[in-house]
Amino acid sequence: MSLPNGDERETEPDKSRSRFEVELTALTPRSAQFDRDRLMFLAGQASVRVTDGGRPQRRWPWPAAFSAMTAVAAGLLVMMLARPEPQVVQRIVRVPMPPRADTAATAASSALPELLPTARRKETESGRQMPNAPPAAYLELRDRVLALGWDSWSTPASSSGDGGEPPPASNRELLNYLLHDG
Amino acid sequence: MDQVGPERLGRLLDEHGAALVLYARQWCSAPEDVVQEALIQLVRQPQPPDKLLPWLYRVVRNGAISASRRKRRRRNHETMAAKESDAWFEPAADERLDAALAARHLASLPSEQREAIVARVWGGLSFQEIGELLGTSSSSAHRWYEAGLTALRERMEKNVITKWR
């Protein structure tokens, strides 16, 4: 077997070798059973993978990201499994409720006679009463209807207290009253 | 110098493939795989090593020993090598040396002597390179080589004499 060229290896001439050494050199190693095509394919694959613009390809970012995310997921899983059961705390909260409807109606009807004269008085005192203002009976009726509903319509306005003319019985009557007096 | 290309790889395979396989065969039973992996590893190098052939022998040596360890055969690799030593060489055409006998006696040598002989005779490495390969000095490598060669010649001559008697 000939020595490779281009290297600084000792090239002793054959004549200086012992006869036995020469005879050994004559023995040919058994030919290798290489799949040459497969080797060339793998070598080409390796040469493409290794270079990225002449520099060795960095292979750590994706494995590092994968490892980090796996660690975070594992940590969250452990935290979820090791989390203590939530404690149920019973607390009584008292919330003030608005009065019921019938109670409110009763209270309104009892308070209305007191409130209405006060309101009328305030309007008079402030001087803002319009010259063509509707009669007090109408206002009283209006307030009553707004406060107690239509059921209170038929109730006679006994609380007017001024002894004046009766309140209009209908809208038309009220309109006529307003038009004539206005 | 750029990466090792396909032409150079093919030339390496043609000129040194058989010797590399013979070198790896001392340790493992699938030396072709080890040599192939070493060649692919060579291609992966961005810059080829300065001393390419010694580098290849070192990689093949490490790969063969690792393969041997993987298969848990390191303890009896001498026995295995002796068993498979008949297949180390092609049958000699001129019959100056019995190839099978030479292989058998070569396999029975101490590992450092055998390595030195294989790397020197069939690998063509210098004693300096053999010393680096085996982790010793060039003089020690030369000493192992001479001792191995002497032992091999004596055993073969003894065997031939016995055979002729």
Side-chain angles (χ1 to χ4, degrees):
Chain A
M1 175 172 286
S2 62
L3 294 177
N5 297 327
D7 288 339
E8 298 174 356
R9 68 180 41 88
E10 300 159 13
T11 55
E12 300 173 4
D14 286 346
K15 62 182 181 182
S16 67
R17 293 186 181 184
S18 67
R19 177 171 160 268
F20 180 69
E21 195 177 0
V22 174
E23 288 175 354
L24 267 185
T25 310
L27 290 177
T28 308
R30 200 180 69 170
S31 57
Q33 306 293 323
F34 283 117
D35 187 349
R36 197 183 185 89
D37 293 336
R38 176 171 170 75
L39 174 61
M40 289 299 171
F41 171 76
L42 292 175
Q45 210 173 29
S47 67
V48 169
R49 281 180 185 166
V50 75
T51 55
D52 180 16
R55 291 177 301 178
Q57 195 173 17
R58 290 187 299 177
R59 295 179 178 178
W60 57 267
W62 281 112
F66 173 77
S67 303
M69 284 188 284
T70 305
V72 169
L76 289 174
L77 180 65
V78 169
M79 285 174 61
M80 190 182 77
L81 293 178
R83 187 179 61 177
E85 287 293 322
Q87 287 184 336
V88 179
V89 177
Q90 289 187 345
R91 181 181 299 165
I92 299 174
V93 179
R94 298 184 185 280
V95 179
M97 296 292 290
R100 287 168 52 184
D102 52 348
T103 311
T106 307
S109 60
S110 61
L112 198 57
E114 300 171 358
L115 291 175
L116 287 179
T118 307
R120 295 288 91 75
R121 189 166 57 247
K122 284 183 179 177
E123 288 179 355
T124 307
E125 289 173 355
S126 62
R128 290 186 300 169
Q129 189 172 16
M130 301 296 290
N132 54 354
Y138 166 72
L139 295 175
E140 185 179 353
L141 178 61
R142 183 197 64 182
D143 294 337
R144 184 183 297 275
V145 169
L146 291 176
L148 303 178
W150 285 108
D151 296 338
S152 63
W153 180 262
S154 58
T155 304
S158 59
S159 60
S160 58
D162 53 2
E165 54 188 303
S170 64
N171 289 341
R172 181 170 296 278
E173 192 177 341
L174 175 62
L175 181 63
N176 291 333
Y177 170 79
L178 290 174
L179 288 175
H180 291 307
D181 285 0
Chain B
M1 194 184 293
D2 212 355
Q3 272 185 286
V4 174
E7 293 177 0
R8 196 175 182 197
L9 188 66
R11 205 166 56 244
L12 275 172
L13 198 61
D14 292 336
E15 294 178 359
H16 303 286
L20 285 167
V21 167
L22 174 64
Y23 188 66
R25 203 184 293 279
Q26 300 176 68
W27 292 280
C28 63
S29 58
E32 284 90 355
D33 295 344
V34 174
V35 173
Q36 176 174 299
E37 187 58 38
L39 290 171
I40 291 173
Q41 199 171 334
L42 173 66
V43 172
R44 284 200 190 105
Q45 302 297 314
Q47 296 289 330
D50 295 334
K51 295 182 176 181
L52 196 146
L53 204 53
W55 183 91
L56 264 179
Y57 270 87
R58 189 168 64 249
V59 173
V60 166
R61 183 177 196 268
N62 294 338
I65 291 174
S66 298
S68 170
R69 281 176 180 162
R70 277 198 300 270
K71 294 184 178 180
R72 300 177 182 275
R73 292 177 181 172
R74 182 167 171 74
R75 284 176 300 177
N76 57 349
H77 76 271
E78 302 276 350
T79 309
M80 185 197 69
K83 283 180 181 174
E84 298 184 357
S85 60
D86 290 344
W88 281 21
F89 301 107
E90 299 285 357
D94 55 1
E95 294 188 358
R96 282 188 294 178
L97 275 183
D98 186 349
L101 192 64
R104 200 172 304 126
H105 286 305
L106 187 63
S108 66
L109 289 178
S111 60
E112 62 273 10
Q113 295 180 7
R114 186 179 62 244
E115 278 191 66
I117 290 175
V118 171
R120 174 68 181 173
V121 174
W122 292 282
L125 299 186
S126 68
F127 288 117
Q128 175 73 30
E129 292 165 346
I130 294 171
E132 291 174 1
L133 185 63
L134 302 181
T136 185
S137 64
S138 60
S139 59
S140 295
H142 186 264
R143 198 162 52 246
W144 287 342
Y145 174 76
E146 292 292 344
L149 213 59
T150 304
L152 186 61
R153 187 176 62 240
E154 288 175 358
R155 292 181 191 185
M156 290 195 70
E157 287 175 356
K158 184 179 177 181
N159 196 285
V160 169
I161 291 169
T162 307
K163 186 178 178 182
W164 279 103
R165 282 180 182 171

